[in-house]
Amino acid sequence: MAGPAADPEVAGLGVETRAQLVQRSFREVLRVQQQQPSVQAALLDVKTTWMDLIQPRAELHPSTPRVEVGIENDQTVVFLPDQAGLQQQTLVTVNEFDALHNGQPKESLAMDWRANIRDGFSHTLWERSFDRQYPWARPLVAIAIIILAVVLTGLIEGGRRRLRRRGRTLSRRLKASEKELKKSMAIEPEAITPETLQEPSAQLDIPLWPASVFSPLAVVTEAGQSVNQLLSILSKGFLKEQTLLKQQRNLLRFGVLLVFWVEMFVVFGAGSVVSQIYPITRPYTPYIFSQAILLPVIWLGITLVDTLVDIEIDYHLNQWGKDAQLDDAQSNRIALRVSTYSPAIKSATTVFFTLLGLYLTIQAFGIDPAVLASAGAIAVIAAYISRSVLQDMLNGAVILWTDRFAVGDVIQVGEYAGLVEDMSLYTTQIRGPEGRLITIPNGQISTVENLTKEWSRVDFTIEIAYDADIKQALEIIRVVADALRTEPLWQDKILEPASILGVDHISHTGILLQVWIKTQAMHQWAVGREFRLRIKQAFDEANIQIGLPQQTILLRR
């Protein structure tokens, strides 16, 4: 016999090298065989069917060369015997290592390899017979499948866009519902600066105070309407409406993702059919088809569980909110906490399920996650990111659990101050001066000042002239505060009678008087502005002068 595979040195080569030698011999045999006129005629005469396009025929092709098992140089070999147009040739040697690796005797393994090689010759000949008889069949069928997949994908994408539009409509309704609740607390971001938060109040120059030191609250009630009743109605209605809207939105999001993965299934399915058409890509068809099924199943399962968890979170949060609202029906704090906790907790669960989905996807592609984890740079980066993220998440959970602040509160964190617009377990966003949106990682929040939790206070100070009548000034302040509290527009915003603390400081510039007025949360700026205006008018009528710096000059001759 002749052939490189029969050489003892070749028989000891690596598996990949031996496989390449067998493939080279396989292709050479087919090339030589198809040069024969009889084989060329047989390729055209043999009867083929359209099933040969996608599936190899089980019966042997009439031109299939004979393949035998024999012994050469005391080695078991698979070879081609002498036959029409082909000389005797060794294809592969079966050694002890092959038998040990496959768990079979050499003779039995050689027979299996003989059958596989013979079937490979037959399948290739059937494919070439089909290509000779229908030379344009494979590209035309592939193009038709691709066009069909594009049409189906377009139709599915149109349905997905409609679902997304419906989802955006629900999101707008959800935001509008939240906006209605927060209208009574809305303040302009320009008004919130660290300097104004630290200043106690107006002192000497009340008439000269700029209007933008603290912006007024957006008035949501008409004259005579009860603010407490409105807040109670808004809070209860908010919880009920939010529950329905969030559930509908969650289901729509799942529907959008379901349609997306149906679309991906069509794409992967078309790819697997096209790969099945061409013999060179046919070995990859099972992998592509398995991904077409496995990936949608993984992510649809992950999304379904995430959606169900989101619905469960909204349900329990709103049940808790309804029960807590019964204890304080006049407060909207519970509704604000529900609107804050819901997206924060759901974002954390979404991150968890997304990471789980990525892990399962990596395994579905046959990649061992331990290999990625063992990579030094990846491990260092992952450790650094996970440490920071874990710190932010834990501190965010503590902030939510202790109710330090919620969406809609005005807070100060270090040098940053403003209205809390959004919050998750990882970050907090506040709208600061000039409308700038400030994002603060929760891990960096240690000390926070909440100016609007449960109730607020007007810290009013004014410095009158050194020779002014102190008792008269204090009496005017008391009368103005009592009159303000009795008016329908302000009586629900002021929770208690004003606390007139009296003389707080005496200096060369005058006498400092201090007053505290307890108000509903977020209403201290509106009440404070109105109170300062009326004090200015009352002091002008009583001819009480604002304190001015005094200095004594001694002249000596």
Side-chain angles (χ1 to χ4, degrees):
M1 297 181 194
D7 191 331
E9 294 182 1
V10 174
L13 294 175
V15 175
E16 292 184 3
T17 304
R18 293 173 63 201
Q20 292 174 359
L21 290 173
V22 172
Q23 290 175 359
R24 186 183 307 167
S25 300
F26 186 90
R27 289 193 296 266
E28 181 64 19
V29 169
L30 289 174
R31 186 187 67 81
V32 173
Q33 187 189 32
Q34 290 182 34
Q35 291 178 351
Q36 302 175 26
S38 60
V39 175
Q40 293 180 4
L43 292 177
L44 291 173
D45 294 339
V46 71
K47 185 177 180 180
T48 59
T49 64
W50 283 96
M51 287 301 298
D52 296 325
L53 180 68
I54 59 175
Q55 185 176 358
R57 192 178 296 194
E59 63 180 288
L60 292 178
H61 192 277
S63 300
T64 303
R66 290 185 295 113
V67 183
E68 303 293 343
V69 175
I71 303 295
E72 181 183 12
N73 297 330
D74 296 328
Q75 295 286 336
T76 302
V77 295
V78 180
F79 69 99
L80 287 175
D82 286 329
Q83 48 194 300
L86 294 174
Q87 296 180 351
Q88 183 172 309
Q89 179 180 352
T90 299
L91 297 177
V92 63
T93 300
V94 183
N95 55 34
E96 296 290 345
F97 176 78
D98 297 327
L100 180 63
H101 179 73
N102 290 275
Q104 291 180 264
K106 288 194 298 182
E107 293 74 12
S108 175
L109 181 61
M111 294 301 294
D112 289 344
W113 285 7
R114 168 188 171 271
N116 292 336
I117 293 173
R118 184 192 59 189
D119 291 343
F121 282 128
S122 177
H123 294 162
T124 304
L125 289 170
W126 279 118
E127 290 162 358
R128 294 186 179 182
S129 293
F130 183 87
D131 291 338
R132 290 287 183 89
Q133 298 175 25
Y134 307 100
W136 294 101
R138 297 185 193 275
L140 289 178
V141 171
I143 292 173
I145 292 174
I146 293 174
I147 292 175
L148 180 61
V150 170
V151 172
L152 289 177
T153 302
L155 294 175
I156 296 172
E157 181 63 23
R160 191 162 75 99
R161 282 198 296 266
R162 285 191 291 272
L163 288 177
R164 291 175 64 181
R165 284 197 297 268
R166 174 61 178 164
R168 286 193 293 267
T169 301
L170 283 178
S171 296
R172 286 194 293 267
R173 289 178 58 189
L174 194 60
K175 290 181 180 180
S177 176
E178 294 175 352
K179 188 176 180 180
E180 286 299 321
L181 179 69
K182 297 172 185 176
K183 270 187 178 181
S184 60
M185 296 181 246
I187 61 172
E188 297 177 5
E190 297 88 337
I192 309 300
T193 64
E195 292 78 8
T196 56
L197 291 175
Q198 293 171 1
E199 292 179 3
S201 183
Q203 295 182 5
L204 292 174
D205 53 347
I206 289 181
L208 303 179
W209 264 61
S212 61
V213 172
F214 277 110
S215 297
L217 301 174
V219 179
V220 298
T221 57
E222 298 177 356
Q225 186 178 14
S226 170
V227 176
N228 285 338
Q229 292 177 355
L230 178 60
L231 291 178
S232 177
I233 295 172
L234 283 175
S235 298
K236 294 177 180 178
F238 168 82
L239 292 175
K240 183 177 180 179
E241 185 178 6
Q242 290 279 296
T243 302
L244 296 176
L245 291 178
K246 287 177 180 178
Q247 289 178 355
Q248 293 178 25
R249 186 182 63 178
N250 290 336
L251 292 175
L252 269 177
R253 286 178 176 176
F254 176 74
V256 169
L257 195 62
L258 175 62
V259 174
F260 169 77
W261 282 111
V262 170
E263 188 177 343
M264 290 298 100
F265 177 79
V266 171
V267 173
F268 276 94
S272 63
V273 173
V274 171
S275 67
Q276 183 70 13
I277 291 174
Y278 289 93
I280 193 172
T281 58
R282 192 168 293 163
Y284 304 102
T285 299
Y287 177 77
I288 298 175
F289 187 73
S290 65
Q291 301 306 316
I293 296 177
L294 191 57
L295 289 182
V297 168
I298 289 175
W299 285 104
L300 284 177
I302 290 292
T303 306
L304 178 59
V305 174
D306 188 26
T307 302
L308 293 177
V309 170
D310 287 349
I311 293 175
E312 195 70 12
I313 289 173
D314 286 333
Y315 172 78
H316 286 289
L317 279 177
N318 283 281
Q319 286 298 116
W320 169 78
K322 291 176 183 178
D323 295 339
Q325 195 74 43
L326 297 176
D327 298 333
D328 190 2
Q330 306 299 327
S331 175
N332 59 1
R333 185 70 191 176
I334 299 300
L336 287 179
R337 292 178 68 182
V338 169
S339 65
T340 302
Y341 292 176
S342 177
I345 297 175
K346 288 192 292 187
S347 66
T349 58
T350 299
V351 169
F352 170 77
F353 286 118
T354 301
L355 293 177
L356 179 60
L358 291 175
Y359 174 79
L360 295 177
T361 301
I362 290 174
Q363 286 195 328
F365 279 110
I367 302 174
D368 187 359
V371 175
L372 297 177
S374 62
I378 296 178
V380 171
I381 294 173
Y384 178 78
I385 294 177
S386 61
R387 176 181 175 275
S388 178
V389 170
L390 184 61
Q391 181 181 2
D392 293 339
M393 184 181 68
L394 292 177
N395 202 39
V398 172
I399 292 173
L400 292 175
W401 181 261
T402 56
D403 190 27
R404 296 183 187 178
F405 56 85
V407 174
D409 281 333
V410 176
I411 64 171
Q412 178 168 355
V413 180
E415 61 183 68
Y416 304 111
L419 180 71
V420 179
E421 284 199 354
D422 187 42
M423 182 184 177
S424 68
L425 282 180
Y426 310 99
T427 60
T428 295
Q429 291 184 323
I430 60 176
R431 184 71 64 175
E434 301 177 0
R436 291 173 292 182
L437 186 64
I438 305 169
T439 301
I440 306 174
N442 288 338
Q444 298 181 11
I445 300 177
S446 56
T447 303
V448 57
E449 298 180 31
N450 191 336
L451 281 72
T452 56
K453 183 179 179 181
E454 297 180 356
W455 57 272
S456 300
R457 173 184 288 159
V458 176
D459 185 10
F460 175 82
T461 59
I462 183 171
E463 201 166 24
I464 62 176
Y466 196 84
D467 56 353
D469 189 337
I470 299 176
K471 292 185 177 181
Q472 182 185 12
L474 293 175
E475 180 62 21
I476 291 174
I477 292 174
R478 184 191 64 78
V479 171
V480 171
D482 291 343
L484 182 65
R485 185 168 182 263
T486 58
E487 293 186 6
L489 183 61
W490 302 99
Q491 62 182 359
D492 292 325
K493 299 178 182 179
I494 302 176
L495 302 179
E496 297 178 357
S499 299
I500 302 176
L501 304 182
V503 179
D504 191 66
H505 184 67
I506 299 177
S507 67
H508 69 285
T509 59
I511 301 171
L512 184 67
L513 307 180
Q514 186 171 16
V515 180
W516 283 353
I517 303 177
K518 186 175 181 180
T519 69
Q520 288 189 5
M522 301 292 289
H523 288 271
Q524 68 267 41
W525 295 291
V527 173
R529 171 167 292 169
E530 182 66 19
F531 185 68
R532 294 184 189 99
L533 173 64
R534 298 191 183 195
I535 288 294
K536 171 62 171 62
Q537 295 172 344
F539 276 15
D540 287 346
E541 293 178 1
N543 199 26
I544 296 178
Q545 301 296 320
I546 300 301
L548 295 173
Q550 299 183 18
Q551 187 176 10
T552 302
I553 301 176
L554 298 178
L555 300 177
R556 296 182 179 180
R557 296 181 179 180

